[in-house]
Amino acid sequence: MRVSFLYHALGVREQECSGIRYEDKRIILQLQTREEKLRCPCCKSKDIICSGSHIRTIRSVPIGSKEILLELKFQRICCKTCGCIRQENVHFVTGKQRYSSKFKKLVVELSRIGTIKDVANHLHVSWDTVK
Ligand SMILES: [Zn+2]
């Protein structure tokens, strides 16, 4: 999948797509940060070693009636410059949230024209997520 599509459709700019799965009403994209974009989350140094990773599923904005899920590989980074050992920062996910910043923005926009229940039903998420 093209990097420009990921950016313009989903707000993803530093990751590459390594696979796509189609499941019922969902499209699942497997993403990982491009190697040249990986850097230390503390000092921003590129002098790093990747030591392990884990996958988190992040909800993104729908395309048509299809839910978009991002299976995002988070690298654990050891920095040779400052000694920091941390999980990489991904620009479109805040903390441990399970949705992208673009999804959050869509919820806010839809909340202006509908109730919390309407938005939750439309996006197939819980009332609590919208609230
Ligand atoms: Zn560092």
Side-chain angles (χ1 to χ4, degrees), residues 80-120:
K80 289 182 184 175
T81 306
C82 72
C84 163
I85 301 173
R86 276 202 189 162
Q87 177 183 290
E88 68 171 299
N89 285 333
V90 173
H91 67 90
F92 60 88
V93 180
T94 306
K96 296 190 184 257
Q97 289 180 340
R98 300 178 147 268
Y99 45 83
S100 70
S101 51
K102 200 148 180 150
F103 184 81
K104 189 161 70 177
K105 197 172 173 182
L106 175 66
V107 167
V108 171
E109 287 171 5
L110 290 175
S111 297
R112 292 190 186 122
I113 57 172
T115 64
I116 292 172
K117 189 177 175 185
D118 293 338
V119 175

Side-chain angles (χ1 to χ4, degrees), residues 39-48 77-85:
R39 56 189 67 221
C40 172
C42 302
C43 72
K44 310 296 178 206
S45 168
K46 288 188 171 187
D47 193 14
I48 56 168
I77 291 173
C78 297
C79 180
K80 289 182 184 175
T81 306
C82 72
C84 163
I85 301 173

Side-chain angles (χ1 to χ4, degrees), residues 1 5-6 10 16-32 55-63 66-73:
M1 184 172 285
F5 176 80
L6 289 175
L10 308 175
E16 60 192 357
C17 183
S18 59
I20 301 175
R21 292 198 322 271
Y22 302 95
E23 289 180 3
D24 199 21
K25 294 183 175 182
R26 295 175 165 170
I27 299 173
I28 300 160
L29 306 177
Q30 294 160 323
L31 301 179
Q32 60 189 27
I55 307 275
R56 277 172 55 194
T57 303
I58 305 294
R59 180 74 188 270
S60 190
V61 291
I63 296 178
K66 300 281 188 182
E67 289 179 18
I68 302 294
L69 298 178
L70 310 176
E71 282 186 349
L72 187 56
K73 186 178 186 179

